[in-house]
Amino acid sequence: MSKPFDFELERLTRPSSYSGMVRGARIGQRGTFFLETFGCQMNDHDSEKVAGVLLSRGYRQVETPEAASLILYNTCSIREKAAQKVFSRLGEYRAKQSDGKVIGVLGCVAQQEGEQIFERAPWVSLVCGSASYRKLPEMLAELEAGNHRVTGLDTDTDETFETEMTRRDNPWRAYLTIIEGCDKACSYCVVPYTRGPERSRASDSILKEVRQLADLGYSEVQLLGQTVNSYADPTPRKMCFSELLLAVADVPGIRRVRFTTSHPSDFTPDIVQAIESQSRLCDHVHLPVQSGSTKVLRAMQRTYSRDEYLEKIEMMRHAKRPIAITTDIIVGFPGETEADFEETLDLLDEVQYDGLFSFKYSPRPNTPSLAMNDPIPEEEKSRRLAILQEKQREIQAARNTALVGQTFEVLVGGKSRRENQWSGYTTSHRVLNFASQAKELLGIYVQVRVTGAGPNSLVGEHAV
Ligand code: 5AD
Ligand code: SF4
């Protein structure tokens, strides 16, 4: 899918949204930190929580590594390129360590590479995977005591990372992890290794946080998990995912509830019924298919066939209100023939997705598919990716064009440097850029009439 905005926007932040929560913290006594994040929304949100832990311990966040005494790098290893970036970035940090800075690696590369990071980059002092974040305060205490080799690499945990304070980056949409780790075993994926087994958060703790968020003025929450719809409440209340969705939507002040990422095998009719019955649940589902060929899906260990996946799509297409559907696709998985790829293209025609994230297969350490024969040459992967993306571009252009003339509610999240130009998301998660004479619209819900469309966004005018 496209980047959130088509043109450069001034992203206004509202730092006061969390300042009330740091009362009593000894701000500024322990030095400064710089935190850079790569990867998925789960990583973004983990970083918000890590920042919260540091702020509540008296650290101050700064904008540049130069200004920081502690540099933290929250990493991604889902594809090789992302992991390589980490080591080149660590090389850049090396020089900075000479002036007594402490450097730490967090996230998936930390978990995957473990203590080898100390060998490859001896200037690093902290290596901590996401399953160990709840021990961060102790690890920070060790660093503060001068320990130069601090690690948190356990994944055999049934706990989730909950913290008193979270420093949220987006002033209107709050992210909330409801399930961590993954118990699926897709043959190409590092996540089960880097994030550990599936752990669901207690429903009362989730709902308490949602109420706090509503009190702070957030009207949109996005529930996060690698397989968010596999949620299983560990408390005696035993809420299932759709019950949790409805309970979150019932919290006074909450106007939009999103969730990502759903796994097709656990995508059950009650989720669609919940969306139908409650308009505060957004009409958008991200349902990664990965391939349109049942043979490739089997090799990927995706636990569903093409037809079973299409049944889930049918279920959504028959819903009482339209639901936007987006997906992830990997091209060039080992053994993917031209005919398999054609099946993926054919699936795009059949489903008519509203958005697509597409990737070239990248062999990853510790994954079963690493040992699979018949690798697809890099140029062939690139060719397939380009064909896939071009097809999807046409589909999106047509789908968006069909919306011209309709009016949608938009949560305004951006303001252009150009006068009277604003931008926001519809509940179906489309970007809508629009003109309005209003003085201030940021964070407000407005009605916008669509006047034009491109493959990645809509344009419109404020309907008053
Ligand atoms: N190579 C390419 N893409 C991958 N993804 C996960 N692992 C790999 C890999 N080894 C993609 C999947 C997943 C998305 C987050 O990243 O499409 O849904
Ligand atoms: Fe990875 Fe599959 Fe789990 Fe998604 S469901 S995180 S692709 S193992």
Side-chain angles (χ1 to χ4, degrees):
M1 280 206 302
S2 66
K3 286 260 171 215
F5 303 106
D6 263 347
F7 51 88
E8 210 181 329
L9 293 162
E10 293 159 29
R11 280 214 44 210
L12 299 190
T13 51
R14 196 178 54 178
S16 60
S17 62
Y18 60 85
S19 59
M21 297 171 79
V22 291
R23 240 173 278 129
R26 290 162 300 160
I27 301 273
Q29 289 181 6
R30 296 211 195 241
T32 48
F33 72 98
F34 171 76
L35 174 55
E36 185 171 7
T37 310
F38 283 82
C40 60
Q41 280 168 333
M42 298 280 291
N43 264 13
D44 286 339
H45 183 44
D46 281 345
S47 285
E48 291 180 334
K49 291 196 276 184
V50 167
V53 170
L54 285 156
L55 289 166
S56 64
R57 281 183 73 83
Y59 286 82
R60 187 164 58 81
Q61 190 162 15
V62 292
E63 297 288 319
T64 61
E66 287 75 19
S69 56
L70 171 62
I71 300 174
L72 293 175
Y73 192 19
N74 190 0
T75 61
C76 170
S77 64
I78 196 102
R79 284 168 290 276
E80 197 184 351
K81 250 195 202 150
Q84 276 167 356
K85 231 187 224 170
V86 176
F87 285 98
S88 68
R89 191 53 56 97
L90 281 176
E92 291 166 29
Y93 285 162
R94 178 185 204 165
K96 301 195 168 95
Q97 201 221 15
S98 55
D99 27 288
K101 295 178 194 294
V102 174
I103 296 173
V105 181
L106 309 176
C108 292
V109 173
Q111 193 65 52
Q112 192 166 292
E113 303 284 327
E115 300 198 355
Q116 284 174 23
I117 292 180
F118 293 136
E119 281 156 39
R120 264 178 94 170
W123 53 95
V124 169
S125 303
L126 169 72
V127 174
C128 177
S130 67
S132 301
Y133 287 159
R134 69 199 183 288
K135 292 195 201 131
L136 260 182
E138 293 113 85
M139 287 187 253
L140 288 168
E142 284 187 52
L143 286 174
E144 285 156 8
N147 190 339
H148 293 300
R149 287 282 182 273
V150 179
T151 52
L153 295 167
D154 297 339
T155 51
D156 55 343
T157 176
D158 53 9
E159 289 176 70
T160 52
F161 177 34
E162 302 199 24
T163 158
E164 285 295 300
M165 191 194 139
T166 302
R167 197 214 66 102
R168 294 183 196 270
D169 290 330
N170 185 316
W172 300 290
R173 178 189 294 179
Y175 294 93
L176 219 112
T177 302
I178 63 161
I179 174 168
E180 289 177 14
C182 182
D183 277 355
K184 303 280 189 274
C186 302
S187 60
Y188 51 81
C189 185
V190 287
V191 168
Y193 305 92
T194 58
R195 286 190 167 266
E198 198 176 281
R199 288 103 61 206
S200 288
R201 234 177 112 181
S203 56
D204 46 1
S205 157
I206 296 170
L207 291 167
K208 184 172 157 217
E209 190 172 344
V210 175
R211 284 191 290 271
Q212 284 169 349
L213 290 167
D215 288 345
L216 284 166
Y218 289 95
S219 60
E220 180 173 318
V221 291
Q222 178 156 342
L223 309 181
L224 296 177
Q226 303 292 344
T227 55
V228 73
N229 57 326
S230 314
Y231 178 80
D233 185 5
T235 71
R237 218 169 153 187
K238 289 200 183 314
M239 274 189 158
C240 71
F241 179 61
S242 61
E243 288 166 336
L244 180 72
L245 282 179
L246 291 169
V248 171
D250 269 345
V251 171
I254 296 302
R255 189 151 163 180
R256 283 184 174 183
V257 183
R258 299 187 184 281
F259 56 92
T260 199
T261 296
S262 296
H263 192 286
S265 297
D266 297 329
F267 198 79
T268 43
D270 52 312
I271 302 172
V272 178
Q273 282 152 15
I275 296 173
E276 282 177 332
S277 69
Q278 171 55 276
S279 61
R280 289 193 288 276
L281 298 180
C282 287
D283 48 3
H284 169 221
V285 172
H286 183 60
L287 200 67
V289 65
Q290 311 299 359
S291 169
S293 149
T294 297
K295 185 197 95 190
V296 174
L297 289 171
R298 295 267 180 266
M300 288 177 163
Q301 291 168 204
R302 278 298 283 181
T303 69
Y304 54 84
S305 64
R306 176 192 173 102
D307 286 347
E308 283 161 347
Y309 180 87
L310 284 171
E311 281 169 23
K312 311 286 176 176
I313 299 293
E314 267 308 278
M315 208 161 78
M316 283 190 272
R317 294 291 181 226
H318 283 109
K320 292 191 189 102
R321 62 182 173 124
I323 298 176
I325 307 172
T326 55
T327 202
D328 292 348
I329 287 177
I330 298 174
V331 296
F333 189 77
E336 184 190 67
T337 60
E338 189 61 31
D340 293 320
F341 177 60
E342 293 286 335
E343 284 198 67
T344 299
L345 294 176
D346 179 72
L347 186 89
L348 293 198
D349 280 329
E350 188 158 351
V351 177
Q352 296 283 307
Y353 288 110
D354 297 283
L356 165 70
F357 294 94
S358 50
F359 311 99
K360 290 190 270 184
Y361 168 71
S362 168
R364 307 303 298 128
N366 303 318
T367 59
S369 65
L370 194 61
M372 284 181 190
N373 290 326
D374 205 6
I376 310 294
E378 210 47 38
E379 316 79 73
E380 180 57 18
K381 287 185 201 167
S382 302
R383 189 187 71 86
R384 292 182 190 179
L385 189 73
I387 294 172
L388 185 82
Q389 290 178 342
E390 181 49 32
K391 184 177 224 8
Q392 180 58 24
R393 226 181 76 87
E394 286 164 17
I395 291 171
Q396 271 174 229
R399 286 185 74 74
N400 286 345
T401 302
L403 302 175
V404 173
Q406 295 188 35
T407 298
F408 294 100
E409 182 192 77
V410 161
L411 168 55
V412 185
K415 179 181 185 177
S416 164
R417 291 215 176 84
R418 275 189 287 150
E419 215 159 304
N420 306 328
Q421 287 294 319
W422 306 82
S423 186
Y425 282 98
T426 64
T427 104
S428 64
H429 212 236
R430 285 187 170 83
V431 174
L432 214 170
N433 302 313
F434 66 99
S436 171
Q437 302 300 325
K439 278 220 156 48
E440 187 51 76
L441 291 177
L442 286 168
I444 295 173
Y445 292 83
V446 297
Q447 296 292 320
V448 179
R449 202 175 68 83
V450 178
T451 55
N456 296 321
S457 61
L458 305 171
V459 276
E461 55 196 19
H462 193 170
V464 249

